[in-house]
Amino acid sequence: MNAVAHKNPVHRRNDWHHLPVDQVADDLKTVLDDGLSDEAVSSLRAQHGENRITPQPGRGPLLRFALQFSQPLVVVLVIAGVVTAFLGEWVDSGVIFGVTLINAVIGFIQEGRAEDALAALARSVTSEVTVLRGGAKRRLPSTALVPGDVVLLAAGDKVPADLRLFRAKELQAIESALTGESTAVSKHHKALSPDTLLAERGNMAYAGTVMVRGQGAGVVVATGDATETGRISRLIAEAPDLTTPLTSKMAVFSNWLLIAIGLLAVLTFAIGLWRGESAFEMFMAAVALAVGAIPEGLPAAMTITLAIGVSRMAKRRAIIRKLPAVETLGSTTVICSDKTGTLTENQMTVREIFAGGVSYPVSGSGYAPTGKIADEPDLDSPDSCALRECLLGGGLCNDAGLRKSGRHWEITGDPTEGALLVALRKGGLDEATLQKLFPRLDEIPFDSARQYMATLHEIEGVRIAYFKGAIEQLLPRSTSMLDAAGVPVPIDRERIEKIAGEMAVEGLRVLAVGRLASLSGGSLDHKQIERDDCELQFVGLFGMIDPPRPKAISSVKACHAAGIVVKMITGDHAVTALSIASQIGIVKAGAEAENTVLTGRDLAALDDDALRGVAQAVHVFARVEPEQKLRLVRALQADGEVVAMTGDGVNDAPALKQANIGIAMGLAGTEVAKDAADMVLTDDDFATIEAAVEEGRGVYDNLVKFITWTLPTNFGEGLVIMAAIVAGATLPITALQILWINMTTAVFLGLTLAFEPIEKGVMRRVPRPPGTPILDHALIARIVLVGVLLLGGSFGLFLLELARGHTLAEARTVAVNVFVVVETFYLFNCRSLSRSALKIGLFSNPAIWYGVATMAVLQLSLTYVPLMNQLFQTAPIDAHAWMEIFAVGLSALLVVGVEKHLLHRRR
Ligand code: ATP
């Protein structure tokens, strides 16, 4: 089998696990240490295409269109159409079917657009991978991979293609996407027997699974559809779900309304018959009541408003992955934010080094290695031995890269580590030379729960392990420290803590370096280090600045004004965290750490009840382990808070899922965190969260505006029909005319509210308590008020027209125009829920004016075009009638304006 496989590597599948790594590399014509060359990549790319699984076709357009007819309203219309046809009313029946069709087409187009927009957003969060090509590490989109590429894996990565691993250090993966098993499995690089089952192939990493621990490297053996996942097609891009708690609540509301209206319609029919009206007339009245009172535009308008919100947020660099987040954002009461990279720039610069009992200030800023270590010490002199060791430790125990691109210096990898490389160069050393001289034999990758990293090297025949990490991790394990000449002397912990404390007070991030000299084995593991008798030598400290993001200060202030509490949850040191928190305004300047900061250790000592009280009161949490974030979220939620929580690492995923809004970092975040999040920040900036909350509030407002605008029409139409039946009068508007009003105004007037810009002052309101009804008493009263105005205006003018001797068609045309004109004027009232239409700027939403102009054309054609007159039983009306119609419209505008003014003053 081996021989066959060897002859035909390209067509072979599934059987890489039993080959020695070298043979895999030979078969795929790649070099494990360097990766593929650029030429090889382009020909392989032509052969294999993009590394992307062809999505399976979702619901086809025909099915989607057909599903439009399954909505309850449409079913009612279809029944009405069939019965009218049966009664021989061909025109009515034709128009009803026409309207049904138009409704379905509009629904189909709008739904398609919203789905496309959401799907495009989901795709825009591309995943990147670290690849070795031509001997250099590169970050590439995962779609660019080809078989033979050498991929470097770290905890938090989503495996981008099927890989045969050739290096694995404590590597663990969750393969539930493939095997359904949700516990992590360990990975290794040893060849396995040919008959090993897929789920047991520990030396393979499969596309779509995620790495949750450790580090490793593998060769791509299959990409795109050729991967295991591609083969079984489990990773199909699913159509995004367009429902949110609010839309589903409204759908339920609409269904109940439908039943209630159905019953009312039957009642109307019965009353009419009982009064001796013709069955035909009464049937048409019942149909009119049903189609009039159902707010048919509501579900579509809500989805569209939400979709517009999503795209507005994307423009402000917040990608929504789950639609309900748009709504929830607006009611967020607490934002728990990481410090590094979200509230700060994540642009580290070493400002101070402490080694051998001496403090060395370091000049320069950013990643350009142009500054100096103070006094330019000669690193070869015996007096600078500790400094040299410190720089060496920082440079070797390091996975970052530093290079000049054009005139700028750039780093790849972790900024904390990048800053150490810059300091190394300022000392006259460079990492590439060091790494060649003292190659890495083994490593313990950094993990934020353990807070340190270690690497093993051979230096002049001696094995030395370098450590770097949080001072709390290294200092307790150190039994000696290096003096200036590099000689181990008894450790002075107090002095070191004092220096570290001074650095932290200035807001510097402190990183300690230590070493274990003269090791015998060729490998490193946690157990070796976490033993009680581990005798670490303390080498030195790096103090680096990470300035607050300029916009963080104003955003935190804006959140406070909006009634949102901001909490900093960081892995960093308590004093550093406090210093940054007070610079940003999360806590008052001059606050003492003991009272204001809670550390991970304090947190661990509290039970859930005690944590609830503390979680509310404390705003800075330091040295927090990712797992503790979950407890914090739960504690806050137990007190009824709506929590937004940021995260970037694998271990943050549970907290992101638990939070009401999980927010992942687009730049520094792992794939696992992004998958768990509701929202991804493409710039990792705290200010973006604030912007998204503002948009969320705006979207919610616009939804309420649409509901407040649309319901009076339905209410008014229902009232008109009922009143006519009760009074035994002719219907002032027919079923067809009602359909016309509802369909045209919902699209051309109501939907324009979705484009309303965010009102000034939304961020000066307190968050909306979750669970509050969409419409408060004042809005319900307004809906009733406008409904009654519509009844009075249309019925009144209808009767007046008849009394003046006008025809029924003319009187009905007037009634229809009253509805449309009142709705148009009322639309301006609805542009703001509390402020006057004039105050928010008449032209601040151009969509309104396009809508009004279109509506005017449509109404004029309904009134004056003979074909329309024939279809809708309308007739031309005179200028006098128009004046009366406009007088009704204007008075509605004024009445609601006064009502809003009085209400606003009372509040
Ligand atoms: P935040 O949680 O706000 O993003 P953070 O980046 O400080 O803050 P972690 O990444 O969990 O949080 O780091 C915790 C601590 O671990 C740091 O304060 C530092 O002392 C240490 N540390 C961070 N990065 C490294 C690294 N690459 N190597 C070694 N130690 C590190």
Side-chain angles (χ1 to χ4, degrees), residues 337-342 346 348 397 414 416-417 420 446-453 467-472 509-512 568-573 623-624 626 629 648 652:
S337 173
D338 279 342
K339 171 180 73 72
T340 312
T342 312
N346 210 6
M348 312 267 177
C397 185
D414 181 353
T416 306
E417 297 186 350
L420 298 181
F446 172 72
D447 118 35
S448 47
R450 289 201 153 94
Q451 298 186 329
Y452 67 81
M453 164 179 179
F467 289 74
K468 73 175 198 312
I471 184 162
E472 290 95 322
R509 179 179 172 87
V510 185
L511 207 66
M568 174 194 276
I569 301 185
T570 176
D572 213 337
H573 191 276
R623 289 293 190 227
V624 171
K629 288 184 170 181
D648 47 17
D652 291 334

Side-chain angles (χ1 to χ4, degrees), residues 874-897:
T874 49
I877 53 174
D878 56 21
H880 187 245
W882 279 116
M883 269 157 48
E884 286 172 345
I885 292 168
F886 272 87
V888 174
L890 214 57
S891 50
L893 178 81
L894 292 177
V895 169
V896 178

